[in-house]
Amino acid sequence: MTNFNGFQKLIAIANEYGIICYATPEECLVASLPGYDDFLLAFSWSGAFEGEPPEHELIAISIQDITKEVTVAAWQIPTYLFGNVLRQAQMLVTAHQDFVLRTNNP
């Protein structure tokens, strides 16, 4: 995301949904995942299809497990679905934790 206005728009969208985020030098936003202190939520603009309305611009999202140093999930969504990000991220982290627990305790 090289467009400063686009970056500000992404910050505004995150703030609108209560995600307190921080900008990184890589031009993405990072936030702690509410309820999961060991997980980071990162997102940035992924792109847009030419001729599509602005609400169809895509946001790339990933969840990082800080303690295990792995990416739990990564996906893309159009901006109009951003309100579901926290719920989706929390469900994916819960599934990841269940998987790790079952793998370590067969």
Side-chain angles (χ1 to χ4, degrees), residues 60-78:
I61 302 162
S62 67
I63 305 167
Q64 320 297 306
D65 182 332
I66 300 167
T67 58
K68 300 212 180 330
E69 298 181 355
V70 298
T71 299
V72 173
W75 69 103
Q76 294 179 341
I77 60 167

Side-chain angles (χ1 to χ4, degrees), residues 18-88:
I19 299 173
I20 308 303
C21 54
Y22 305 93
T24 68
E26 294 81 20
E27 295 186 338
C28 74
L29 299 177
V30 176
S32 291
L33 184 59
Y36 299 92
D37 294 335
D38 293 335
F39 292 86
L40 286 179
L41 181 64
F43 45 99
S44 64
W45 287 117
S46 179
F49 295 106
E50 193 170 323
E52 290 291 322
E55 63 271 9
H56 288 209
E57 289 179 297
L58 296 175
I59 299 172
I61 302 162
S62 67
I63 305 167
Q64 320 297 306
D65 182 332
I66 300 167
T67 58
K68 300 212 180 330
E69 298 181 355
V70 298
T71 299
V72 173
W75 69 103
Q76 294 179 341
I77 60 167
T79 56
Y80 65 88
L81 291 177
F82 194 81
N84 297 321
V85 166
L86 286 179
R87 185 172 51 87
Q88 292 170 349

